[in-house]
C-alpha cells in the first residue's frame, strides 16, 4: 500500500460558506465513506461464502468430480482467507481516509476473485452433474449474484465485475450446452445481469448522494457551531467593552471635574454646556449660571476680539482639527484678567460632524509673569551689571598697567586682587548669559569654513596670557592638520579658550599643555592634554553639568565659574560635534572634542 | 589705509565713568586727542566743531541710541563720511551685520579692555580705505 504523501489539503481548506451544500462536501471523505460501507459488508460476505461454499461442496460431492470439487473448495477457502486478511488489514489501517482509493482497488480485486470462484463453479460443475444438481447450481449462482447488489451498493462497477465474473462463464456454458431451453436462458442471463447492474448503479447514486449530503451537512454544522461560538464570544466582548466604556466615561468625567485645569464643554455653536470646578474657580462663574444664561464662550473673551474669535471658531469647526497652545487673555467675572493657554479639541461623531468642542485651559498668568521677570533679569544682567563692571575693571586695569604712574606695591597688590575678582564676576555673568541663550534656543551660530590648524594656532596665541599666569606653556603635540570644518569661529575659539584655561589651571607650574589633532575619517578630534591631578571618580558623571566643580576651594584659588564645560558641551553639540575626556597616560587628563569634517559624508 | 596715523577721536557716551576710562586709555596709552560728548542731541554740532578723524558711538544711550545718531549723521554732509565705531554691550550678530552693511567702520564690544582699546581702534583705522 502506498501511503499518500499529499497533505490532507481538504482538511486545511477554509469552509466555503454560502456555496451549494453538496459542493461543499469533501470528495475524499465521500470516497472514504463509500469504502467504509463496502468493507463493512465484508464479514457477512465472508460468512455467506463459507456457508454456501460448504453446502455446494457437499451437494456437488461425488466420486467422479471429487478432485475438482476439492480443488474448487480449496480456491474458495484461499480467496476467503485473503478477503479476511484484507478486511483485517483495512480495519487496523490508520490511512483509511487518505488511502481510500487504494483500499477500494484491493476490494475490487477481492470481489473479482470471489466472483471468479463462483463463475468457475458454474462453468465447471454445471455440465457434469445431474439435472437436480444443475437446478441447485443455477439457484445458487442467481442468489450469490443478486446478493452482490446490497453488498456492493456503494460501488456499482464493483458489482458489475463481481456479478459479471459469476454469470458470464455460466452463460457461455448454457449457450454451448446444446439444449434449446438452456440457449434461451443463456440469452436472458446477461440481460438479468445488465438489469442488476442498472439497479446497482441507481442504488449507488442514492448512496453517493447520501454520503455527499452527510458531509456537506457535517461541514455546515461545524461552520454553524463555530459561528455560534464566535457570536457568543463577541457578545461577551461587546459586553465587556460596554462596561469599560461606561467605566472610562465615569473616570473621564471625574478627571474633568477634578482636573486642576479649566475644562469647558461647548456645543458646536460655542455655547457653554458645562464647566468643571477649576474653570468655576478661575473665571468666577458657576457651571449652572452659564448654562442658564445660555452663555457663549465669548463671555471669556474681550469684546474687541470677538470678531477674530468668530473667524477662528469657524475655521475650527470647518477643519475639525484640534488647536493647541493657544494663549489668550481671558476676562473674569470680577473684571480682572488671566492669561490662559488653551487646547481646543472638536468632538467629531462617526459621520464626521462636530457634536461639540472641549476646551482645556491652563492659567499661565504666573508663568508669563515669571518669563517676563526672567527676560528683564537677563537684560539687567546683560547691560546694567556689565556697564558698571566695565568701569570697575577698566579703571583697575589702567591703574595696574602703570599708565597712571607708579603706585605703592601693597596698593598694587590690592588693585590686582580687585581686577582679578572683577574679571571673575564678569566671566560668571557672561557664562550665565551664554547658558541662558543656548538653553532658550536664542544662540545663533554663524558657521563658516575654518581651517582647524590655523584656528588652534590662533587659540594658543590668544591664551598665552593664561599660560604665563599659571607658568605653563602651550604647545602642539605632533602635527596640526589643515582639516576644514564648518563651524562658528568665535564660539569654537571660546571652547578652545575654556579647555586651554582649564588645562593651565590644573597643571603644575613648568609643565606643558599640549594640543593634538587626529583625523578620524569623517570627523576630526582635537585634544587638550594636561598634567593635572585627573578627574575625581565621583565628579566624572557631572563634569559637563552646570556649576560643576570638583573642589570649590579650587574656584577661589584659580577662578572659573563652573559653567565653562557645560557651555563647551552645548556649543560643540550645536556644531554637530561631541565632547568628552579620557585619562592621560602617566597622569593628567585629555579633554577632546570632535567635529564633522567639511565635505565628508 | 589712511595716510596719517589716527589722532583725533570724538566719543559719544552718556556714562561719565566710562567716558573717563576711555579718555585716559586713549590719551595716556594711545597718545590721542579725545573729545567726549555726553548728550547725543548735541553730538553732531560737537563733531562738526571738533573735526575728528574717527567717531565712537555708544549703542545704548537715553534719548537717542547710537544707531539712530549714526543714521542722522548720514544726513549731514560735513560728518557723513567720518568713520564710525560702535561700542556695544548687547548687540546681536544680526544687528551688527546690519550696521556693517550701512557702512559702520567697526564695533567694539563692551566690556572692553582699556589697555587694548587704542590697539583695537588703530586696527580698525588701518583697515579703512
Amino acid at each position: 500500500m502506498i501511503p499518500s504523501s499529499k497533505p490532507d489539503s481538504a482538511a486545511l481548506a477554509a469552509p466555503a460558506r454560502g456555496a451549494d451544500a453538496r459542493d461543499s462536501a469533501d470528495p475524499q471523505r465521500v470516497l472514504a465513506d463509500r469504502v467504509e460501507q463496502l468493507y463493512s459488508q465484508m464479514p457477512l460476505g465472508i460468512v455467506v461464502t463459507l456457508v454456501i461454499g460448504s453446502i455446494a461442496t457437499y451437494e456437488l460431492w461425488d466420486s467422479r468430480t471429487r478432485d475438482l470439487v476439492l480443488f474448487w473448495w480449496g480456491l474458495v477457502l484461499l480467496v476467503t482467507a485473503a478477503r479476511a486478511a484484507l478486511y483485517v488489514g483495512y480495519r487496523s489501517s490508520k490511512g483509511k481516509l487518505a488511502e481510500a482509493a487504494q483500499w477500494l482497488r484491493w476490494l475490487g480485486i477481492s470481489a473479482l476473485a470471489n466472483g471468479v470462484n463462483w463463475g468457475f463453479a458454474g462453468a465447471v460443475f454445471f455440465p457434469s452433474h445431474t439435472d437436480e444438481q444443475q437446478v441447485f447450481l443455477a439457484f445458487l449462482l442467481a442468489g450469490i449474484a443478486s446478493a452482490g447488489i446490497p453488498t456492493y451498493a456503494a460501488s456499482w462497477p464493483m458489482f458489475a465485475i463481481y456479478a459479471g465474473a459469476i454469470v458470464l462463464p455460466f452463460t457461455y456454458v448454457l449457450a454451448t450446452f446444446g439444449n434449446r431451453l438452456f440457449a434461451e436462458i443463456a440469452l436472458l442471463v446477461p440481460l438479468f445481469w445488465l438489469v442488476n447492474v442498472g439497479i446497482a448503479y441507481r442504488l449507488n447514486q442514492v448512496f453517493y448522494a447520501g454520503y455527499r449530503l452527510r458531509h456537506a451537512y457535517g461541514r455546515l454544522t461545524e461552520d454553524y457551531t463555530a459561528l455560534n461560538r464566535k457570536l457568543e464570544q463577541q457578545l461577551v466582548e461587546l459586553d465587556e467593552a460596554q462596561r469599560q466604556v461606561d467605566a472610562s466615561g465615569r473616570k473621564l468625567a471625574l478627571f474633568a471635574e477634578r482636573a486642576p485645569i479649566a475644562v469647558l464643554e461647548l456645543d458646536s455653536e460655542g455655547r457653554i454646556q458645562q464647566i468643571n470646578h477649576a474653570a468655576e474657580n478661575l473665571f468666577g462663574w458657576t457651571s449652572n449660571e452659564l448654562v442658564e444664561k445660555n452663555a457663549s464662550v465669548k463671555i471669556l473673551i474681550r469684546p474687541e476680539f470677538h470678531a477674530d474669535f468668530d473667524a477662528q471658531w469657524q475655521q475650527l469647526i470647518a477643519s475639525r482639527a484640534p488647536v493647541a497652545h493657544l494663549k489668550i487673555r481671558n476676562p473674569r467675572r470680577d473684571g480682572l484678567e488671566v492669561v490662559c493657554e488653551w487646547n481646543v479639541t472638536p468632538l467629531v461623531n462617526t459621520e464626521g460632524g462636530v457634536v461639540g468642542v472641549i476646551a482645556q485651559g491652563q492659567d499661565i498668568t504666573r508663568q508669563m509673569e515669571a518669563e517676563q521677570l526672567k527676560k528683564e533679569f537677563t537684560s539687567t544682567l546683560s547691560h546694567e551689571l556689565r556697564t558698571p563692571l566695565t568701569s570697575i575693571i577698566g579703571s583697575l586695569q589702567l591703574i595696574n598697567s602703570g599708565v597712571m604712574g607708579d603706585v605703592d606695591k601693597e596698593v598694587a597688590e590690592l588693585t590686582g586682587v580687585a581686577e582679578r575678582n572683577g574679571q571673575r564676576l564678569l566671566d560668571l555673568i557672561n557664562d550665565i548669559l551664554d547658558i541662558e541663550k543656548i538653553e532658550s534656543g536664542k544662540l545663533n551660530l554663524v558657521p563658516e569654513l575654518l581651517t582647524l590648524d590655523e584656528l588652534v594656532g590662533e587659540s594658543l596665541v590668544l591664551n598665552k596670557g593664561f599660560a604665563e599666569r599659571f607658568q605653563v606653556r602651550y604647545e602642539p603635540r605632533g602635527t596640526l592638520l589643515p582639516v576644514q570644518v564648518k563651524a562658528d569661529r568665535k564660539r569654537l575659539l571660546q571652547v578652545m579658550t575654556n579647555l586651554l584655561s582649564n588645562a593651565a589651571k590644573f597643571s603644575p607650574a613648568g609643565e606643558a599643555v599640549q594640543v593634538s589633532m587626529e583625523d578620524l575619517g569623517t570627523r576630526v578630534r582635537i585634544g587638550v592634554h594636561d598634567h593635572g591631578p585627573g578627574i575625581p571618580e565621583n565628579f566624572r558623571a557631572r563634569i559637563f553639568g552646570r556649576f560643576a566643580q570638583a573642589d570649590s576651594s579650587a574656584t577661589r584659588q584659580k577662578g572659573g565659574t563652573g559653567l565653562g564645560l557645560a557651555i563647551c558641551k552645548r556649543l560643540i553639540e550645536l556644531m554637530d560635534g561631541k565632547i568628552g575626556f579620557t585619562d592621560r597616560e602617566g597622569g593628567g587628563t585629555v579633554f577632546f572634542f570632535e567635529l564633522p569634517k567639511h565635505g565628508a559624508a | 589705509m589712511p595716510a596719517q596715523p589716527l589722532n583725533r577721536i570724538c566719543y559719544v557716551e552718556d556714562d561719565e565713568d566710562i567716558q573717563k576710562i576711555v579718555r585716559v586709555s586713549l590719551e595716556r596709552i594711545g597718545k590721542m586727542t579725545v573729545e567726549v560728548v555726553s548728550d547725543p542731541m548735541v553730538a553732531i554740532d560737537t563733531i562738526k566743531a571738533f573735526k575728528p578723524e574717527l567717531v565712537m558711538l555708544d549703542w545704548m544711550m537715553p534719548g537717542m541710541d547710537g544707531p539712530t545718531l549714526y543714521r542722522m549723521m548720514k544726513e549731514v554732509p560735513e560728518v557723513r563720511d567720518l568713520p564710525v565705531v560702535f561700542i556695544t554691550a548687547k548687540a546681536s550678530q544680526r544687528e551688527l551685520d546690519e550696521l556693517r552693511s550701512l557702512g559702520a567702520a567697526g564695533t567694539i564690544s563692551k566690556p572692553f579692555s582699556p589697555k587694548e582699546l587704542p590697539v583695537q581702534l588703530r586696527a580698525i583705522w588701518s583697515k579703512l580705505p
Side-chain angles (χ1 to χ4, degrees), chain A residues 126 131 134-135 138 170-171 173-190 192:
Chain A
F126 191 82
D131 290 354
Q134 283 178 344
V135 172
F170 183 58
T171 307
V173 169
L174 284 180
T176 55
F177 204 80
N179 181 322
R180 195 165 159 256
L181 180 70
F182 284 2
E184 281 168 10
I185 295 175
L187 282 178
L188 288 176
V189 170
F192 288 148

Side-chain angles (χ1 to χ4, degrees), chain A residues 229-455:
Chain A
R229 250 200 310 276
K230 212 164 173 184
L231 213 63
E232 275 170 25
Q233 178 68 21
Q234 278 174 352
L235 272 175
V236 170
E237 280 168 13
L238 207 64
D239 219 38
E240 178 58 23
Q242 180 68 43
R243 247 199 309 281
Q244 280 176 7
V245 167
D246 285 350
S248 51
R250 275 196 301 278
K251 245 187 244 171
L252 211 60
L254 202 68
F255 268 128
E257 191 51 39
R258 299 280 173 82
I261 56 171
V263 180
L264 316 179
E265 191 188 331
L266 313 172
D267 69 7
S268 59
E269 309 287 311
R271 281 186 299 262
I272 293 170
Q273 305 297 300
Q274 200 183 345
I275 70 175
N276 71 347
H277 270 313
E280 288 178 337
N281 291 339
L282 184 57
F283 301 116
W285 301 94
T286 69
S287 188
N288 287 340
E289 281 172 338
L290 291 172
V291 174
E292 275 164 26
K293 276 162 72 103
N294 198 20
S296 160
V297 72
K298 283 198 270 192
I299 197 169
L300 301 176
I301 293 180
R302 293 208 323 225
E304 63 263 40
F305 295 122
H306 280 187
D308 284 351
F309 172 83
D310 287 340
Q312 284 192 22
W313 186 265
Q314 297 279 318
Q315 206 188 335
L316 178 80
I317 298 299
S319 72
R320 289 178 232 118
V323 180
H325 310 304
L326 210 59
K327 283 185 185 142
I328 300 178
R329 202 171 276 279
N330 301 110
R332 313 192 324 177
R333 189 181 203 172
D334 59 13
L336 296 177
E337 280 184 345
V338 287
V339 182
C340 291
E341 186 174 320
W342 292 96
N343 287 324
V344 185
T345 313
L347 300 176
V348 182
N349 62 17
T350 45
E351 282 81 41
V354 176
V355 291
V357 173
I358 297 289
Q360 297 159 292
Q362 185 161 21
D363 181 4
I364 55 164
T365 315
R366 292 262 164 78
Q367 195 183 324
M368 296 287 278
E369 284 168 2
E371 266 169 34
Q372 186 58 33
L373 264 177
K374 191 179 165 192
K375 228 180 259 174
E376 281 166 14
F377 178 69
T378 309
S379 158
T380 306
L381 263 185
S382 141
H383 189 252
E384 304 302 327
L385 283 183
R386 279 208 285 192
T387 302
L389 265 176
T390 306
S391 304
I392 295 168
I393 297 169
S395 304
L396 291 166
Q397 268 188 0
L398 287 172
I399 296 167
N400 293 339
S401 68
V403 294
M404 309 307 293
D406 289 339
V407 286
D408 184 79
K409 188 168 165 281
E410 282 183 60
V411 175
E413 272 175 20
L414 289 178
T415 51
V417 169
E419 187 196 329
R420 272 203 304 284
N421 284 282
Q423 190 61 49
R424 235 177 91 189
L425 189 55
L426 187 61
D427 289 346
L428 180 61
I429 292 169
N430 287 340
D431 281 357
I432 290 174
L433 287 173
D434 272 350
I435 279 273
E436 209 281 322
K437 239 194 225 170
I438 292 168
E439 289 188 349
S440 61
K442 283 182 197 143
L443 184 81
N444 294 317
L445 294 181
V446 189
E448 56 183 302
L449 208 53
L450 302 171
T451 311
L452 267 184
D453 58 343
E454 284 172 14
L455 185 120

Side-chain angles (χ1 to χ4, degrees), chain A residues 476-510:
Chain A
R477 178 192 177 97
T479 327
L480 298 182
L481 310 167
V483 177
Q484 288 199 312
V485 295
K486 195 128 197 214
D488 185 306
R489 179 189 158 75
K490 202 175 114 191
R491 295 299 181 173
L492 205 51
L493 278 173
Q494 184 179 351
V495 172
M496 281 305 296
T497 297
N498 242 300
L499 297 184
L500 286 172
S501 64
N502 277 350
K505 274 182 218 167
F506 292 102
S507 284

Side-chain angles (χ1 to χ4, degrees), chain A residues 96-140:
Chain A
K96 287 195 188 79
L97 178 63
E99 294 158 8
Q102 192 71 27
W103 288 113
L104 187 67
R105 263 194 296 283
W106 281 102
L107 191 69
I109 291 166
S110 88
L112 179 63
N114 195 22
V116 165
N117 263 344
W118 292 112
F120 177 93
V124 172
F125 300 130
F126 191 82
S128 59
H129 282 74
T130 61
D131 290 354
E132 290 87 348
Q133 284 169 320
Q134 283 178 344
V135 172
F136 167 76
L137 262 178
F139 264 108
L140 184 130

